Amino acid sequence: MASDAPWSEPVVNQPFGGEPTKNQTSGSEPSGNQTLESEPTWDQTFGCELTENQPFPSGPVGNQTFLSAPTGNYTLGGDLTGNQTFGSGPTGNQTFRRIPMDMLEHMAPEIIKFIGRERLPNFRNPCWYEADGKMRCVPYFFLLGVTKCGTSDIWNKAVQHPEICASCKESHWWTQHRSGTLARRDASFTKYRELGLELLDTPNDTHPMSIKVIADGTPSTFWDNHNWRTLFPTNTEGPPYVVADQVHEVVPEAKLIVTFRDPVERQYSSYNFFERYKNISPARFHEGIVMRMRVWESCMSTNSLRACAYQDNVNARFVDRGVYTWMIGIGIYYIYLEDWLSVYTREQMFFIELKDWQHNCITVLPQLYQFLELAPLTAEKIREICRTEVKNKARTVIQPMLNSTRKLLQDFYQPFNDRFYGIMQDDRFEWDYSS
């Protein structure tokens, strides 16, 4: 291996780290051959958004049951192993996972006293007043996904709705900014609850309902649990509970927008984006992937698939973007999606496939607004938004991936794609490499 290889030397514990829309149709006019390149940024905060006058219950509704898991030895239960699949949505007496309070105290003590807070009835966004007389809020919706799946462009276009008032996109509070030596700033939950408050409208006699809402557009909230080995050092089955469980305890009524992309294309896009200032080439990418596969095999020799997908390198610095280049595990989407579907209903999720977004923005965007229960926009306004510049797209001509590399990645991802498609049951997410 050449000593000047552009990647960081991977180790076994390096972190690995990505709905169908209702009645979605295809065939709307394409927005051009856009290439969306999302990029996590480290110094951003989340924005806010407006919705209609929808009252939110304190938690999921219907005949759903949320279970508390046993305490004691925190090992992975049977609900996340084997060949479990999820249907088109929760029906009947579907059971959901609940994190025990002693476990939550172990994982995220900052949020304990904010669970079950009664919402202010005249605010669309989940808000409440605290003992100091100040109002605090949590996000109404989250934009989730995996690096290089278009979240930046989706966010940039979505927040142009006239009922949305957004500040910056990403807070990273639930993940990187709470985790020990990886924290880059004060991880105060008070500050998180105050982000975007200045953008909320105040109810008055003329407008008795505040219709604005706050959002968090941090995509890595979907998959990043990089400190789980510190919390559960002897567990080889993966984290028994993840960020999804913590978010649900505080915001059970949240709406979730999740974006995905063919994991093979995502991996190469990640390399070209994060290594763009280095001497990149298809050959160097191939060498890095071969090395990464060896690391993966080493992890799998002593850990479960779930543990390797959530694996973390305690020595990795998340501010080093090069780490993202070699995360092959984050393309195993079904692992992370199963965790979110274990605590949130499918009806609370809106899924986007990157190519569909690129070519059918004028169809997908109104559906996204409908999902968020925003006022519909005119067709002209939708076209205007969809024509805006694509965020974080490739700035240089990318050489094609080597066929040998593509085959290596396709063989790796195909069984996981099949599991993912089994959950989605949506042809947009059928990435089949057999043809």
Side-chain angles (χ1 to χ4, degrees):
M1 189 73 61
S3 60
D4 62 343
W7 53 85
S8 302
E9 182 72 13
V11 294
V12 172
N13 289 331
Q14 178 125 354
F16 297 91
E19 109 187 36
T21 60
K22 297 181 180 179
N23 301 323
Q24 178 155 352
T25 58
S26 300
S28 303
E29 72 179 55
S31 54
N33 296 321
Q34 303 169 348
T35 302
L36 305 189
E37 303 291 349
S38 62
E39 171 185 10
T41 53
W42 307 109
D43 296 313
Q44 299 176 330
T45 55
F46 62 91
C48 75
E49 162 182 26
L50 311 176
T51 64
E52 295 178 358
N53 298 329
Q54 178 192 2
F56 292 107
S58 59
V61 296
N63 293 322
Q64 302 157 359
T65 304
F66 290 78
L67 299 183
S68 296
T71 59
N73 295 325
Y74 304 126
T75 57
L76 181 64
D79 57 337
L80 292 179
T81 60
N83 295 320
Q84 179 183 9
T85 58
F86 294 87
S88 58
T91 57
N93 295 313
Q94 180 169 353
T95 300
F96 288 81
R97 185 174 71 204
R98 287 297 298 273
I99 183 171
M101 285 301 102
D102 59 343
M103 172 69 81
L104 195 61
E105 180 71 32
H106 178 55
M107 297 183 70
E110 310 95 328
I111 68 176
I112 291 290
K113 64 181 180 180
F114 303 105
I115 295 173
R117 288 296 181 100
E118 184 176 357
R119 310 307 194 208
L120 296 177
N122 56 343
F123 279 79
R124 184 71 53 225
N125 196 86
C127 297
W128 60 86
Y129 281 108
E130 297 183 357
D132 60 4
K134 294 182 179 180
M135 186 177 73
R136 303 295 198 289
C137 302
V138 286
Y140 168 67
F141 80 87
F142 292 80
L143 174 59
L144 310 172
V146 175
T147 307
K148 311 314 299 166
C149 288
T151 56
S152 292
D153 191 68
I154 293 168
W155 174 273
N156 185 58
K157 288 180 168 60
V159 299
Q160 293 186 53
H161 192 287
E163 294 181 352
I164 296 177
C165 55
S167 59
C168 295
K169 175 174 174 267
E170 302 175 14
S171 73
H172 291 280
W173 187 85
W174 293 95
T175 55
Q176 296 147 25
H177 294 167
R178 296 175 48 236
S179 303
T181 58
L182 293 180
R184 294 198 33 152
R185 65 177 73 169
D186 184 357
S188 166
F189 193 55
T190 297
K191 290 187 177 181
Y192 183 76
R193 302 190 323 275
E194 292 175 347
L195 290 173
L197 280 182
E198 73 279 4
L199 301 175
L200 292 177
D201 53 330
T202 303
N204 53 48
D205 292 340
T206 305
H207 302 285
M209 187 73 183
S210 170
I211 62 172
K212 298 181 180 180
V213 299
I214 297 168
D216 189 335
T218 309
S220 61
T221 302
F222 181 68
W223 56 266
D224 185 2
N225 290 267
H226 61 269
N227 67 328
W228 78 268
R229 286 288 192 187
T230 302
L231 296 170
F232 312 103
T234 62
N235 194 324
T236 61
E237 293 298 316
Y241 301 95
V242 294
V243 167
D245 298 272
Q246 301 165 35
V247 173
H248 176 266
E249 289 299 325
V250 178
V251 204
E253 68 269 49
K255 293 178 180 290
L256 311 174
I257 301 168
V258 195
T259 176
F260 300 105
R261 177 185 193 177
D262 181 332
V264 173
E265 300 301 329
R266 190 214 67 80
Q267 191 69 46
Y268 196 45
S269 175
S270 179
Y271 169 73
N272 281 282
F273 187 81
F274 291 111
E275 304 290 314
R276 64 190 182 275
Y277 298 117
K278 301 179 182 179
N279 185 22
I280 62 176
S281 72
R284 285 174 174 264
F285 177 68
H286 181 84
E287 291 178 4
I289 291 300
V290 169
M291 179 186 290
R292 201 68 216 166
M293 291 294 182
R294 294 194 189 109
V295 174
W296 180 265
E297 291 172 1
S298 176
C299 180
M300 289 292 293
S301 68
T302 56
N303 296 272
S304 71
L305 173 66
R306 175 179 165 80
C308 292
Y310 277 117
Q311 188 63 280
D312 177 60
N313 172 14
V314 295
N315 297 316
R317 289 175 55 83
F318 271 71
V319 294
D320 177 8
R321 291 180 173 180
V323 173
Y324 278 100
T325 302
W326 309 111
M327 289 180 175
I328 59 174
I330 59 174
I332 307 176
Y333 303 143
Y334 86 89
I335 293 285
Y336 314 108
L337 182 57
E338 282 186 344
D339 271 322
W340 286 89
L341 284 171
S342 293
V343 292
Y344 282 100
T345 72
R346 187 144 183 168
E347 284 74 16
Q348 290 175 268
M349 301 184 185
F350 182 91
F351 299 107
I352 297 175
E353 200 281 327
L354 180 58
K355 284 189 176 179
D356 187 43
W357 170 259
Q358 291 174 328
H359 296 290
N360 298 302
C361 174
I362 63 172
T363 297
V364 179
L365 188 59
Q367 294 171 345
L368 186 152
Y369 290 149
Q370 182 179 18
F371 167 76
L372 294 174
E373 305 190 52
L374 303 178
L377 302 184
T378 65
E380 181 180 359
K381 182 61 178 178
I382 292 293
R383 285 193 295 270
E384 176 186 331
I385 294 174
C386 287
R387 284 195 297 264
T388 56
E389 181 182 2
V390 177
K391 284 291 184 180
N392 284 341
K393 69 177 180 179
R395 297 174 178 86
T396 58
V397 176
I398 299 174
Q399 300 179 58
M401 189 190 314
L402 297 178
N403 290 335
S404 56
T405 318
R406 185 176 299 277
K407 181 65 165 58
L408 185 65
L409 288 170
Q410 288 178 343
D411 290 346
F412 176 79
Y413 284 121
Q414 188 61 73
F416 308 132
N417 289 354
D418 294 343
R419 289 287 298 273
F420 181 65
Y421 179 71
I423 297 173
M424 304 300 286
Q425 293 296 305
D426 184 323
D427 289 347
R428 292 176 301 151
F429 304 98
E430 187 178 17
W431 301 301
D432 187 347
Y433 311 125
S434 60
S435 57

